[in-house]
């Protein structure tokens, strides 16, 4: 069994370092991928003031990668925010919680600290004195030399970027050697053989399993649904709306009757697809989204509870797209959220972001008092 490891991320430090040196935000997936080389991740936490303008959009990405954002309020010298910020509160909280984790989880043998701050040298020494392996991941140009020397292993962030670029280059070379439509057919055949669901998200996931990665945009399609429809036009697969989801079948399979669509009649489906491509003044929840898409989006918002920020709502929908459960561009996600607000599906809630906050801010929740919303959730149950 691989050794257990815990990750503690000084988000402000790594964010400022990567933006300063590389003009880019931290690549969370690359950091996690490197960390997994040292063991099994059992805990991952990132520390920052998430109300800060530079960090507001980070929590959804962190959550989707299994990292818990830990909120630490920023402190300032007298004179307002224009003065230099005190970051000691973040450093101290990270060190305290890491020390506490050390004593409560003795089975964890490796600690990964994502930072370049030399203030963490005493923490590194403490962990090593308890027999733990310490790995530091940071931007070498901005990292403390003494911190680098005190750790068991130091991983330069630049090397992560190089490894990721090399992996993408290998993927691109690999993808040149396959026909995406043949892989689609192979994926549907595999799901059929395993008696598994063949909805769009499942089919795309199977293609990712087969190829390591798959992005329909590299094949010239905006959405995975468009890619599948083109495969249907070529006679490689058949699709049908069933149980509010688009199912994919192989040629020759008997298709269930659904909404006027049968094995011998694909005209209605093609006409509906063409209608969805007609440009409208605004997005219509029932005209532009399938019942499955609308149900999935409402369920995502409902899971956020009675008080969710707009960042969390957009991030939740974006995560559905990343998992292949939806096929929406960034622009379409914004249009969907706007349509939800306009239709009254999202209800505004004024509340304080945390107990000691001086003022309230806008949060949102799914409006379950609306008949349409209740029907969607009822059908999803």
């Amino acid at each position: 069994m691989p050794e257990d490891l815990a990750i503690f991320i000084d988000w402000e430090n790594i964010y400022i370092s990567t933006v300063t040196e590389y003009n880019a935000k931290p690549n969370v997936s690359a950091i996690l991928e490197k960390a997994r080389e040292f063991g099994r991740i059992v805990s991952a936490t990132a520390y920052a003031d998430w109300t800060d303008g530079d960090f507001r959009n980070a929590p959804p990405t962190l959550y989707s990668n299994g990292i818990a954002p830990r909120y630490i309020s920023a402190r300032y010298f007298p004179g307002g925010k224009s003065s230099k910020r005190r970051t000691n509160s973040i450093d101290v909280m990270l060190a305290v919680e890491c020390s506490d984790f050390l004593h409560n989880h003795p089975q964890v043998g490796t600690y990964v600290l994502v930072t370049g701050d030399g203030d963490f040298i005493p923490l590194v020494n403490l962990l090593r004195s308890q027999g733990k392996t310490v790995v530091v991941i940071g931007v070498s140009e901005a990292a403390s030399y003494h911190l680098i020397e005190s750790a068991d292993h130091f991983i330069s962030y630049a090397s992560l970027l190089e490894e990721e670029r090399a992996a993408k280059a290998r993927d691109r070379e690999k993808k040149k050697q396959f026909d995406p439509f043949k892989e689609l057919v192979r994926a549907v055949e595999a799901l059929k053989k395993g008696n598994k669901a063949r909805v769009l998200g499942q089919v795309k996931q199977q293609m990712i399993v087969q190829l390591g990665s798959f992005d329909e945009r590299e094949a010239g399609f905006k959405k995975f649904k468009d890619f599948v429809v083109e495969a249907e036009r070529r006679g490689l697969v058949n699709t049908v709306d069933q149980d509010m989801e688009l199912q994919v079948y192989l040629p020759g399979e008997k298709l269930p009757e659904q909404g006027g669509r049968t094995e011998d009649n694909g005209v209605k489906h093609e006409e509906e697809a063409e209608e969805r491509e007609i440009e409208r003044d605004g997005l219509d929840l029932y005209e532009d989204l399938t019942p499955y898409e609308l149900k999935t989006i409402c369920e995502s918002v409902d899971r956020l509870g009675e008080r969710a920020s707009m960042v969390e709502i957009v991030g939740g929908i974006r995560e559905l797209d990343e998992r292949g459960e939806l096929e929406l561009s960034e622009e379409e996600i914004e249009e969907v959220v706007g349509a939800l607000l306009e239709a009254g599906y999202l209800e505004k809630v004024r509340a304080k972001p945390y107990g000691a906050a001086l003022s309230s801010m806008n949060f949102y929740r799914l409006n379950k008092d609306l008949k349409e919303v209740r029907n969607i959730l009822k059908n999803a149950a």
Side-chain angles (χ1 to χ4, degrees):
M1 290 289 293
E3 189 172 66
D4 288 348
L5 68 82
I7 303 176
F8 292 84
I9 304 174
D10 181 359
W11 185 259
E12 293 197 0
N13 179 276
I14 193 68
Y15 182 96
I16 293 173
S17 297
T18 58
V19 170
T20 301
E21 298 297 332
Y22 308 118
N23 195 29
K25 299 176 183 178
N27 188 322
V28 176
S29 60
I31 292 173
L32 293 179
E33 192 65 27
K34 175 56 67 172
R36 290 190 184 96
E37 294 181 9
F38 294 90
R40 182 176 68 117
I41 300 174
V42 297
S43 176
T45 310
Y47 297 78
D49 180 352
W50 306 112
T51 63
D52 189 297
D54 292 333
F55 312 131
R56 286 178 182 174
N57 295 328
T61 300
L62 295 172
Y63 276 123
S64 66
N65 283 277
I67 301 173
R70 181 75 162 85
Y71 171 76
I72 307 296
S73 178
R75 298 167 58 195
Y76 300 89
F77 285 105
K81 293 187 178 182
S82 60
S83 300
K84 183 179 178 181
R85 176 187 297 179
R86 291 185 181 182
T87 58
N88 288 347
S89 56
I90 294 175
D91 297 350
V92 170
M93 184 60 72
L94 189 155
V96 168
E97 293 194 352
C98 184
S99 302
D100 186 60
F101 190 92
L102 168 68
H103 294 293
N104 289 323
H105 301 83
Q107 82 283 2
V108 176
T110 302
Y111 285 74
V112 177
L113 304 181
V114 183
T115 185
D117 194 338
D119 290 342
F120 289 109
I121 293 174
L123 176 61
V124 172
N125 292 336
L126 170 65
L127 294 170
R128 296 184 73 231
S129 71
Q130 298 298 312
K132 308 303 180 182
T133 299
V134 179
V135 180
V136 172
I137 298 177
V139 176
S140 56
E141 295 88 344
S144 163
Y145 170 77
H146 297 291
L147 177 67
I148 294 174
E149 289 296 304
S150 66
D152 293 293
H153 305 279
F154 174 77
I155 308 297
S156 170
Y157 182 81
S159 68
L160 303 187
L161 300 181
E162 286 297 326
E163 291 179 7
E164 185 179 42
R165 278 194 286 267
K168 287 182 177 179
R170 289 194 297 270
D171 285 342
R172 285 194 297 269
E173 189 62 30
K174 181 179 178 181
K175 288 172 183 176
K176 290 179 183 178
Q177 303 172 7
F178 77 87
D179 182 338
F181 292 104
K182 289 183 179 179
E183 292 297 329
L184 171 64
V185 174
R186 190 159 72 93
V188 177
E189 289 174 342
L191 293 174
K192 178 187 177 184
K193 185 176 180 181
N195 197 27
K196 297 179 181 179
R198 286 181 271 171
V199 297
L200 288 184
Q202 193 73 24
V203 174
K204 183 173 181 178
Q205 185 62 35
Q206 179 62 32
M207 292 187 68
I208 292 174
V209 170
Q210 293 171 185
L211 300 169
S213 65
F214 176 75
D215 188 341
E216 61 279 359
R217 289 171 294 186
E218 294 181 1
F221 297 91
K222 186 178 180 181
K223 302 178 182 179
F224 186 70
K225 185 191 300 181
D226 297 336
F227 169 66
V228 174
V229 169
E230 173 60 21
E232 183 175 26
R233 189 188 68 79
R234 298 186 182 192
L236 300 173
V237 297
N238 289 317
T239 65
V240 62
D241 285 320
Q242 183 180 1
D243 299 327
M244 296 194 299
E245 298 177 307
L246 196 65
Q247 306 273 356
V248 187
Y249 291 82
L250 295 170
E253 285 190 88
K254 183 177 180 180
L255 302 183
E257 294 186 4
Q258 181 70 21
R261 167 72 188 270
T262 66
E263 181 179 9
D264 299 322
N265 182 14
V267 176
K268 181 178 175 63
H269 172 75
E270 292 179 3
E271 289 177 349
E272 290 174 349
E274 290 176 0
E275 288 174 1
R276 285 195 293 269
E277 294 298 321
I278 297 175
E279 188 173 325
R280 298 181 175 89
D281 293 334
L283 184 142
D284 186 286
L285 294 177
Y286 289 94
E287 290 293 330
D288 296 297
L289 297 177
T290 66
Y292 169 74
E293 289 173 330
L294 185 56
K295 175 201 73 170
T296 303
I297 291 169
C298 287
E299 287 177 328
S300 172
V301 177
D302 190 37
R303 282 194 295 269
L304 294 174
E306 292 295 306
R307 200 180 71 174
S309 68
M310 188 57 67
V311 169
E312 290 175 311
I313 292 172
V314 172
I317 298 175
R318 185 182 295 117
E319 184 179 346
L320 294 172
D321 179 74
E322 292 171 352
R323 292 204 303 259
E325 295 183 39
L326 293 177
E327 293 295 327
L328 296 173
S329 66
E330 287 292 326
E331 182 179 346
E332 288 170 330
I333 290 175
E334 294 178 4
E335 290 179 354
V336 166
V337 174
L340 291 173
L341 285 168
E342 185 177 349
Y345 282 44
L346 292 180
E347 185 177 16
K348 185 184 295 185
V349 179
R350 290 287 295 178
K352 292 184 177 181
Y354 53 96
L358 298 178
S359 60
S360 299
M361 60 181 292
N362 288 336
F363 291 94
Y364 299 87
R365 64 186 174 199
L366 191 66
N367 185 5
K368 298 181 184 178
D369 293 330
L370 203 64
K371 180 180 178 181
E372 292 86 345
V373 172
R374 290 200 304 270
N375 289 336
I376 291 171
L377 296 179
K378 181 180 178 181
N379 292 333

